Amino acid sequence: MRAGRFVADLDSSAALLRALAAFLHGRDAPALGAHRHTHPLFEALAPAVNRLSVPLRESAWVRGALAEALTPKALARFDAESLARWVVGRYPRRRYPAAVVGATNGALVHLCAALGIPWLPQTHLLSVRHDGQVPVDEPMKTLGFAREPARRLLESHPDLQLHHTHDANHDRLLLQGLTHFRVKRRGLSPAYVRFLEEALEPDATLFVSECELRWPTLQQGERHVFQQGSLGGASPDEYYLGSPRVEAYLRQQGSSLTRWPSPPPDSDSPEAEWGFEPALRDDLLRLARKRRWRLKRIIYPEPEALSPLVADLYRHWYRERKMPSGKLLAECSILLEPWWTLRTGAVPFWMVLNTRASARALERYLDRSTPWDAMYLTLCSRGVESIGLATMEHWRELLSRGRTRGQLLGVDAREYPRDFASFVRYHPAMRRALSAHHSTRERLRPERLDAFLKQHGERYAVQWLETDVRPRHQSAGVASSWFQ
């Protein structure tokens, strides 16, 4: 199998990687960047998807996910080093003043685009088919299916950590036929090292994306944990212990259960999709010392903590360039587009999901920012009336805060949250709606980022820490000076 086929198109790391890589190649990323050569066909067929009945639409969604999922036999051929070569192969081969390694984050991708630098993800999703062997609402039964594939995977990859996840709230449809393995790198792959050594300038900066979000887990082995649930909507306690909301949700889904049966968690781990595994930092420190690069850690408590900072940075940068700065583009999950954001002078605000928690994050940002002339919004539909889902009325209320315009991009409001065509329609809708094209060649200079953080950095729940990696300091201790 080609290395790129081990990761799903809807994997957040892969989708964000493709979007950033396309931007650095000087182009946009239609259809999540995965079907660039066939996206006109996808755009033509997308409206037909939403005309299907709900059962047929859901069936098509599940079949599509199963088509790119791995069988346990195919998973046995997974090679993390081949996947790392595929990752670095997405980027243009040229010299960069900096690079980012670490946790996945949409706002981080927009920061990288502004700086014109690559990001190498720590985490990847491997979808594994079980073909209906595991009941959706009995998460513990997935462990028996996954035990042997997980053992073989970890045995052949001593530098990987496996987070087996089961989210019967958001991923309810997909779990009918597959389970999710998320793998995190505990060390730098040779392909990552070669790319960084060849691509970074001698006085480069190596950034580390460190999301501190953690989740209760069940330990399955030395490098193997099981995570029930995921960020957004239900809380960890609700996934493990139940609640009136969970009982009502299960009843709505036709289940006879009142909670998801599982033992209480016995460990605490980096959240599978968004959290950073600190073991990787050791290799990054060693490499930075060897090459005498600056190493700067971007530490944030949860994924959306970066979004206000990056949005304000963009607005500040546009104003410095005497550009209009009143156009806010709120992007949901993997439906983001750095090329059109910068080309049209939009200010990006990234949200993890289509949940009330993400809507509140956007609302808090609107409350404290100066008014926006226009607001645009993409919404990622998961096909489920999940716990914590934000209603269309809530999204429209937020859009009404645009003084002259508030517009959904590629969203069929009548079919939300089963609006599967939005995964294709968001891109042409963005292209049509946004205007006032600007040059995408100008990059945000690192000293401008430094100046912005020095003046405004204390407003945000983000730490920017520089680690002293000069040869005379053998300690890996953290120094607090970002502005040396």
Side-chain angles (χ1 to χ4, degrees), residues 62 65-66 69 127-132 166 174-180:
V62 173
L66 287 176
S127 296
V128 185
R129 296 181 64 141
H130 61 64
D131 294 329
H166 187 95
L174 302 183
L175 294 180
Q176 294 175 19
L178 55 82
T179 194
H180 287 152

Side-chain angles (χ1 to χ4, degrees), residues 174-370:
L174 302 183
L175 294 180
Q176 294 175 19
L178 55 82
T179 194
H180 287 152
F181 283 6
R182 281 193 165 86
V183 292
K184 293 185 184 291
R185 298 182 184 277
R186 296 176 59 86
L188 279 175
S189 73
Y192 276 20
V193 172
R194 282 194 301 273
F195 174 81
L196 293 169
E197 289 186 327
E198 292 171 4
L200 291 189
E201 296 169 353
D203 59 346
T205 299
L206 184 58
F207 291 101
V208 188
S209 171
E210 300 189 26
C211 178
E212 296 181 307
L213 182 67
R214 300 182 71 84
W215 199 271
T217 52
L218 288 163
Q219 197 75 31
Q220 301 298 302
E222 184 182 357
R223 292 176 286 117
H224 179 192
V225 296
F226 176 71
Q227 175 179 310
Q228 187 178 179
S230 59
L231 179 66
S235 69
D237 281 350
E238 287 181 298
Y239 278 108
Y240 285 100
L241 305 175
S243 73
R245 290 201 306 173
V246 170
E247 184 175 354
Y249 174 72
L250 289 171
R251 187 166 55 249
Q252 173 197 337
Q253 299 299 323
S255 173
S256 60
L257 298 171
T258 59
R259 57 179 288 267
W260 291 299
S262 67
D266 57 13
S267 54
D268 180 56
S269 307
E271 201 279 333
E273 185 170 8
W274 309 110
F276 175 71
E277 169 49 55
L280 180 62
R281 198 187 305 130
D282 292 341
D283 273 5
L284 293 169
L285 279 166
R286 280 190 287 268
L287 182 61
R289 283 200 181 97
K290 174 186 173 185
R291 307 300 298 190
R292 299 190 179 186
W293 297 327
R294 291 178 295 276
L295 187 134
K296 298 181 178 179
R297 301 167 59 199
I298 311 172
I299 306 170
Y300 46 102
E302 49 86 19
E304 287 167 345
L306 265 182
S307 298
L309 187 153
V310 172
D312 285 349
L313 173 65
Y314 264 68
R315 204 174 199 185
H316 178 81
W317 182 34
Y318 290 160
R319 286 170 174 166
E320 283 190 337
R321 296 164 64 189
K322 310 301 183 186
M323 289 171 48
S325 59
K327 186 163 42 183
L328 183 69
L329 173 59
E331 296 169 308
C332 182
S333 187
I334 58 177
L335 303 188
L336 88 173
E337 176 53 89
W339 169 263
W340 285 102
T341 299
L342 276 168
R343 190 175 182 190
T344 61
V347 172
F349 185 93
W350 176 75
M351 300 175 295
V352 171
L353 280 174
N354 57 354
T355 59
R356 288 196 291 271
S358 289
R360 283 195 298 270
L362 175 58
E363 188 170 11
R364 286 193 298 270
Y365 180 68
L366 295 176
D367 287 343
R368 72 166 188 77
S369 61
T370 55

